[in-house]
Amino acid sequence: MFLPSETYAARCESPRRGINPASGRAYADVQGSALDEKNWLRSWTNELYLWYDEVEDRDPADYGVLEYFDLLVTSQLTETGARKDNFHFSLPSADWQSMTQSGVALGYGLQWAVIDGVPPREVVVAYWDQASAEGLPPRGTRVVSVDGIDVVWANDAASVDALNAAFFPSVAGEAHAFTFESAGGQRSTITLTASAVATDPVQHVGIIDAAMARKVGYLLFTDHIATAESELKQAIESLAAEGIDELVLDLRYNGGGLLAIASQLAYMIAGQVPTIGRDFERLQFNDKYPETNPVTGEPLVPVPFFDTTLGFSSLPVGLPLPSLDLQRVFVLTGATTCSASESIINGLRGVDVEVIQVGGTTCGKPYGFYPTDNCATTYFSIQFQGANDKGFGDYPAGFTPGGEGPAGVAGCQVADDFGRDLGDPAEWRLSAALNFIETGSCEGDLVGVSSLRADGGALRAAGRDRDARVLKPSWRQNRILDVRGER
């Protein structure tokens, strides 16, 4: 028996007092119990979870609140043997608000790339969250030890746990000594201290400095967070002013975020002609709601290509967005390209904008959710699957450059190049995209990089023919709907 989730909503073991900064109104919390919170989770899951009929019904009294939430998930596997749902998580509501609205999160201000996760491990700096990282280890610098623990060969549980805790700190002010090794073999030890760091989601915007017959713009976009709205608008305005003929959009480390911002960027790439009256993404909830959005209560309406600002950033609502009016776009991808980033690829393909994909297969997440707060915890549970204007949304194994079938995208597989900065025309993935623009093929050596060679459609060097994964927290690897994106 499942009572409506409203029966238990905001009945909290520890009610909050005061004003909710997200709404500007008093918290609705009243005195309740942990069992009330678990009963709310049980009913809410039965109502909204995409695969609600695959969740085993357990007695909530036997578990803690968060422990119980972790069990409210399908146990089914995909055809490849992977878990069907790898995207089930929760966060303290205060942390969620801080991270999404301001881009502020606890960390060192950098992202780690794991090339090999088992001994002999290889962990390197992927990029810094701020464009300026003067005096800090550059992209591609290897981590050889942390607090004296060997990163490459450590294999006992205590050492591995200590390394994980150091790479991903949980307390502000926490400090760890990282020993780095440069490409030339020089080592240095730097103490990194965890703090609240603001992410700059739009970096490296400009014109490629290469001998090209066509003017090429480059844009690195790392996170679909609220602050990206104004930064993307400014970036596209600058590229449009330059009159670019082609765009290379670097999404290799973009795990997703706000779906409405993905829609805005897709519009700014394509412009009005191919997008007017077309759907960016159609939402399909579980079979209880064929025609109604169960979260908003409104008729089920697709997400359009948004052509104005929506109020996510400091910009006022309703400002017209600029556009490049491009008929094709080159997208650099990798294993970390996920969710809302995949929606950009899928949404543009749905309106016949040609997408050329260069890099690695994306993560494969055509699913999303509305973050839902209850009793100071925000829960993320898959509630819908998205499809483009042509009705395609079946890519649970990701989009593959040069691959076959509906999820195969024109382009080529290219390894990530940690020996060069992002935006460097000699960086393998960007170089391959430039070569495609010039010659119609990824193969060849456009910029004279001797270590670059074509091999079976994939550019490889130093044996690195695999994609590295940048480990981001779950909130930075998702497709998130917000009521502002419902207009």
Side-chain angles (χ1 to χ4, degrees):
M1 298 291 294
F2 295 90
L3 294 178
S5 59
E6 289 83 356
T7 307
Y8 307 104
R11 290 170 54 175
C12 311
E13 184 177 27
S14 301
R16 292 165 291 181
R17 303 289 183 242
I19 301 299
N20 183 345
S23 65
R25 298 187 295 270
Y27 285 111
D29 298 4
V30 297
Q31 187 62 56
S33 66
L35 184 58
D36 288 326
E37 295 184 36
K38 289 178 281 186
N39 280 331
W40 176 83
L41 285 168
R42 180 175 181 264
S43 294
W44 177 70
T45 299
N46 184 65
E47 291 165 357
L48 298 181
Y49 187 53
L50 186 61
W51 304 290
Y52 70 95
D53 53 352
E54 298 176 8
V55 176
E56 181 182 346
D57 190 24
R58 297 176 170 91
D59 184 351
D62 295 338
Y63 306 93
V65 175
L66 297 184
E67 181 186 15
Y68 185 61
F69 172 70
D70 290 341
L71 297 173
L72 295 174
V73 63
T74 177
S75 60
Q76 299 294 311
L77 304 178
T78 67
E79 293 180 358
T80 64
R83 291 179 57 188
K84 188 174 181 177
D85 186 353
N86 281 312
F87 313 105
H88 194 75
F89 68 102
S90 63
L91 287 171
S93 296
D95 292 354
W96 167 243
Q97 288 298 323
S98 173
M99 289 184 284
T100 55
Q101 299 307 311
S102 64
V104 173
L106 183 69
Y108 305 118
L110 62 82
Q111 299 299 317
W112 307 108
V114 179
I115 298 172
D116 286 297
V118 296
R121 293 184 193 85
E122 187 170 8
V123 181
V124 302
V125 175
Y127 69 95
W128 290 87
D129 285 322
Q130 297 289 335
S132 175
E134 187 175 350
L136 295 171
R139 166 177 163 81
T141 305
R142 296 175 62 243
V143 185
V144 293
S145 68
V146 182
D147 296 334
I149 301 172
D150 190 331
V151 170
V152 180
W153 293 107
N155 207 24
D156 62 283
S159 295
V160 171
D161 288 345
L163 289 174
N164 282 326
F167 278 112
F168 306 102
S170 57
V171 179
E174 187 178 333
H176 297 277
F178 287 79
T179 299
F180 295 96
E181 182 177 85
S182 69
Q186 294 82 18
R187 293 192 175 187
S188 61
T189 299
I190 301 174
T191 297
L192 299 179
T193 303
S195 63
V197 180
T199 296
D200 184 2
V202 182
Q203 301 180 29
H204 303 293
V205 180
I207 307 302
I208 299 294
D209 184 17
M212 304 289 293
R214 299 173 66 77
K215 184 175 282 190
V216 180
Y218 172 81
L219 191 160
L220 172 66
F221 180 33
T222 59
D223 289 284
H224 289 73
I225 56 177
T227 54
E229 182 184 55
S230 59
E231 291 191 38
L232 286 170
K233 180 176 181 292
Q234 183 178 1
I236 298 299
E237 284 172 342
S238 68
L239 294 174
E242 292 284 351
I244 64 170
D245 302 301
E246 307 276 5
L247 174 67
V248 179
L249 175 63
D250 196 338
L251 297 177
R252 74 182 80 186
Y253 302 137
N254 193 317
L258 295 167
L259 185 63
I261 287 179
S263 168
Q264 289 176 314
L265 179 54
Y267 167 79
M268 288 190 279
I269 292 169
Q272 187 178 51
V273 173
T275 61
I276 190 167
R278 307 287 291 276
D279 300 332
F280 175 68
E281 186 155 294
R282 300 172 182 172
L283 309 181
Q284 179 182 352
F285 291 84
N286 68 42
D287 57 14
K288 299 178 183 181
Y289 310 99
E291 299 179 353
T292 303
N293 182 320
V295 177
T296 66
E298 301 292 329
L300 197 52
V301 216
V303 176
F305 285 85
F306 290 115
D307 59 1
T308 65
T309 54
L310 297 171
F312 288 109
S313 61
S314 57
L315 298 174
V317 177
L319 288 181
L321 294 174
S323 64
L324 299 172
D325 302 323
L326 297 176
Q327 296 180 346
R328 74 173 179 179
V329 61
F330 289 79
V331 182
L332 308 186
T333 65
T336 311
T337 307
C338 199
S339 201
S341 290
E342 292 173 300
S343 288
I344 295 175
I345 296 172
N346 200 44
L348 289 173
R349 295 179 80 204
V351 295
D352 296 317
V353 172
E354 184 181 12
V355 176
I356 309 296
Q357 182 184 358
V358 177
T361 299
T362 62
C363 87
K365 187 172 182 288
Y367 314 113
F369 39 61
Y370 286 84
T372 304
D373 168 81
N374 191 62
C375 299
T377 298
T378 296
Y379 295 97
F380 304 79
S381 187
I382 296 297
Q383 294 163 339
F384 64 86
Q385 180 167 348
N388 64 18
D389 191 76
K390 295 181 178 180
F392 178 70
D394 188 20
Y395 49 91
F399 289 108
T400 299
E404 298 179 352
V409 182
C412 48
Q413 296 186 38
V414 180
D416 209 349
D417 180 2
F418 290 100
R420 296 173 180 84
D421 289 334
L422 298 172
D424 183 343
E427 188 274 320
W428 301 338
R429 287 177 174 170
L430 179 52
S431 177
L434 294 175
N435 199 81
F436 198 109
I437 292 170
E438 192 77 356
T439 69
S441 168
C442 289
E443 297 183 1
D445 185 358
L446 178 67
V447 293
V449 183
S450 60
S451 62
L452 197 66
R453 64 185 178 89
D455 183 2
L459 300 180
R460 306 177 180 183
R464 288 181 180 166
D465 57 353
R466 292 183 297 150
D467 193 17
R469 181 176 291 276
V470 172
L471 301 182
K472 290 190 172 186
S474 296
W475 68 273
R476 295 174 73 175
Q477 299 185 70
N478 282 286
R479 178 192 262 96
I480 300 164
L481 276 177
D482 185 285
V483 290
R484 284 167 290 191
E486 292 288 298
R487 293 182 238 209

